[in-house]
Amino acid sequence: MRVGRTAEDVPEARRRRAARLLLARPLLVAGQTADDEFRLVRAYAAELREWFDRETGWRLLADAQTVRLMKVTADPSDGTHPARVPRSRTPFSRQRYVLTCLALAALDRADGQVTLGRLAEEVVAAAADPALVATGFTFGLDRRERRADMVAVVRLLLHWGVLRRVAGDEEAYLGAGGDVLYDVDRPVIAGLLATTRGPSMLDGATPDDRLAALTLEVIPDVDDARNRALRHRLTRLLLEQPVVYYDELTEPELAYLTSQRHALLTRITSFTGLIAEVRREGIAMVDPDDELTDVRMPAEGMQSHLTLLLAERIAVSDHGLRVSDLHRHTRELAREHRSYWRKHATDPGAEVELVATAIDALRALKLVTVEPADDPLVRPRPAIARYALAQPTIREPASGTAPAARPRPDISDRAGGTAP
């Protein structure tokens, strides 16, 4: 017999688990998401809907087959968390983003089933539209690389639940010797676009204008509405961003956060289990279970090791380092760690891609900023101070005693103790 209840049985803990599942993956599809997780989120859908609407302004749509949290981004210009190929984790290129949109448009008009070959033909036909060609975009299936782009898009749609594989394999299509049959889940397609306005209503002159208009929220000029909008934006930032720096906030946002910080952070902590780490420069919502992040540091692997070592080097620099300096340092590290790193790390020119990938990760974690130039300058942000190794403390032994051990520096030591 069970004498007591575990933490997972407590309603508050179960609701918190459901909220965390949605934050980690805002689209859940029955049959693709684990059954117990899908049922858990559906069971608490009403409470989740109320909290997200009140605190973030995000809508929650739930039915028997899908649960969709419409997470409108707090920063539409942030490109540090791209879509990635599910297997390889390779970030999407601009071309693959365009192909994704064209594929979704084709699938929205398709029958209940479609083959990969047929979908690719529809995308090629759509890519020939004069308005799209005028932008310089072209796409064909004459090369394996182009078919690989199409396969990457399809695998992302499979991951989202837009498609379900019935027969065949994408690898056969890559070799131009086979095809794949999919079921199309049109309700999932209908719930993908999380915007405040329909794309057909946009008339901006540039892509940046249209992107900003896509998520623009009209706020009535009354105190309650302004305060609600500030609460929504700050809560979105705290839930989505690794660090919220005070110097990135507008004056009204900073004033609201200063006056309402305790209440704001208490509500987030109670509902999600995240823990607020408040520092002089900003706030980070820390996840003790390490579930709600798509970029981890430190992590396993050569690239992660290099990223950590470069973070250490940047953290102790006064005004940042040029990318060329990081290239030079990476070549030295590759020689130093050649027994443990992949062989190609010491190849001529390998440092360029390795450093670029490391910088992308550091930018995604808001540990650095990059100033564009012929030789870009990588500047440290306050949170990177935790990756700076402290200098060892050497104490002289008392007379007649054995020498004291030299303490080893800890990677968690913080410079100045003020970094978020």
Side-chain angles (χ1 to χ4, degrees):
M1 294 178 60
R2 296 181 62 186
V3 179
R5 295 189 300 174
T6 65
E8 289 76 12
D9 294 327
V10 179
E12 293 80 4
R14 289 173 57 79
R15 184 196 61 197
R16 186 179 300 123
R17 176 62 180 160
R20 291 168 64 85
L21 286 169
L22 273 179
L23 288 172
R25 190 169 182 181
L27 173 61
L28 305 178
V29 180
Q32 185 179 48
T33 306
D35 290 344
D36 58 335
E37 294 180 348
F38 189 83
R39 288 195 299 267
L40 177 64
V41 175
R42 288 278 289 119
Y44 287 93
E47 294 177 59
L48 296 170
R49 183 182 294 111
E50 179 184 358
W51 192 90
F52 281 116
D53 180 66
R54 182 181 66 248
E55 301 300 332
T56 68
W58 292 335
R59 293 181 298 126
L60 178 61
L61 308 178
D63 57 36
Q65 296 299 316
T66 61
V67 179
R68 176 70 164 120
L69 179 62
M70 296 292 191
K71 292 170 67 175
V72 180
T73 178
D75 184 5
S77 64
D78 182 12
T80 59
H81 296 270
R84 294 179 180 274
V85 180
R87 291 183 183 179
S88 65
R89 305 301 298 162
T90 304
F92 262 39
S93 61
R94 288 178 177 270
Q95 173 160 283
R96 288 182 177 181
Y97 278 117
V98 176
L99 294 178
T100 302
C101 294
L102 296 178
L104 287 170
L107 290 170
D108 195 40
R109 301 186 299 267
D111 295 329
Q113 288 189 326
V114 68
T115 64
L116 177 50
R118 178 59 180 169
L119 178 59
E121 291 172 1
E122 293 282 348
V123 169
V124 170
D129 185 280
L132 192 54
V133 173
T135 66
F137 179 83
T138 60
F139 180 70
L141 299 171
D142 52 327
R143 296 186 308 186
R144 181 183 174 89
E145 292 81 2
R146 295 292 177 259
R147 294 196 298 273
D149 287 334
M150 196 66 218
V151 167
V153 169
V154 165
R155 284 175 173 164
L156 181 64
L157 299 181
L158 285 166
H159 178 69
W160 285 346
V162 171
L163 299 174
R164 297 177 190 243
R165 190 183 296 108
V166 176
D169 184 81
E170 291 82 21
E171 292 298 327
Y173 175 81
L174 271 180
D179 211 339
V180 194
L181 178 65
Y182 305 103
D183 285 333
V184 181
D185 197 331
R186 195 165 286 105
V188 175
I189 299 176
L192 280 181
L193 194 60
T195 64
T196 57
R197 302 173 65 189
S200 61
M201 300 175 63
L202 306 181
D203 55 3
T206 67
D208 287 341
D209 292 338
R210 293 193 292 273
L211 184 60
L214 201 62
T215 56
L216 179 65
E217 297 178 84
V218 178
I219 304 169
D221 192 18
V222 294
D223 289 343
D224 286 347
R226 286 194 296 268
N227 288 335
R228 182 169 60 252
L230 288 170
R231 181 174 72 249
H232 287 173
R233 172 163 171 77
L234 289 168
T235 305
R236 291 176 186 180
L237 287 172
L238 289 165
L239 288 174
E240 291 291 284
Q241 297 289 333
V243 184
V244 176
Y245 291 112
Y246 298 141
D247 61 10
E248 295 178 335
L249 301 178
T250 65
E251 187 174 336
E253 290 168 351
L254 183 57
Y256 186 90
L257 181 58
T258 302
S259 63
Q260 300 295 320
R261 186 180 71 189
H262 177 73
L264 201 65
L265 298 182
T266 298
R267 290 195 295 268
I268 294 175
T269 298
S270 174
F271 197 75
T272 67
L274 298 173
I275 299 174
E277 185 175 327
V278 182
R279 299 287 175 174
R280 186 176 64 188
E281 299 88 356
I283 302 172
M285 300 304 299
V286 179
D287 180 15
D289 296 325
D290 192 27
E291 294 175 334
L292 303 184
T293 183
D294 57 346
V295 182
R296 287 176 171 81
M297 183 171 155
E300 295 182 356
M302 185 206 76
Q303 182 65 59
S304 296
H305 185 202
L306 171 63
T307 303
L308 187 62
L309 293 174
L310 293 183
E312 174 195 342
R313 184 63 171 259
I314 296 169
V316 298
S317 63
D318 293 331
H319 305 291
L321 293 171
R322 295 287 177 184
V323 169
S324 58
D325 296 326
L326 296 177
H327 287 166
R328 185 163 44 252
H329 185 52
T330 298
R331 289 194 294 270
E332 296 171 357
L333 291 171
R335 289 192 293 270
E336 179 182 350
H337 299 284
R338 60 180 177 272
S339 299
Y340 309 100
W341 286 9
R342 295 192 297 266
K343 292 182 178 180
H344 76 77
T346 56
D347 293 346
E351 70 278 1
V352 175
E353 181 178 352
L354 292 172
V355 169
T357 302
I359 291 176
D360 286 344
L362 296 177
R363 288 181 62 239
L365 292 168
K366 299 191 75 171
L367 300 179
V368 302
T369 58
V370 180
E371 296 182 4
D374 292 338
D375 187 5
L377 178 64
V378 183
R379 289 188 180 276
R381 292 295 276 153
I384 204 173
R386 68 186 58 216
Y387 297 102
L389 291 174
Q391 293 298 320
T393 301
I394 302 175
R395 297 183 178 89
E396 293 297 330
S399 178
T401 62
R406 298 185 180 185
R408 299 175 61 186
D410 190 338
I411 195 63
S412 64
D413 287 347
R414 296 180 174 86
T418 61

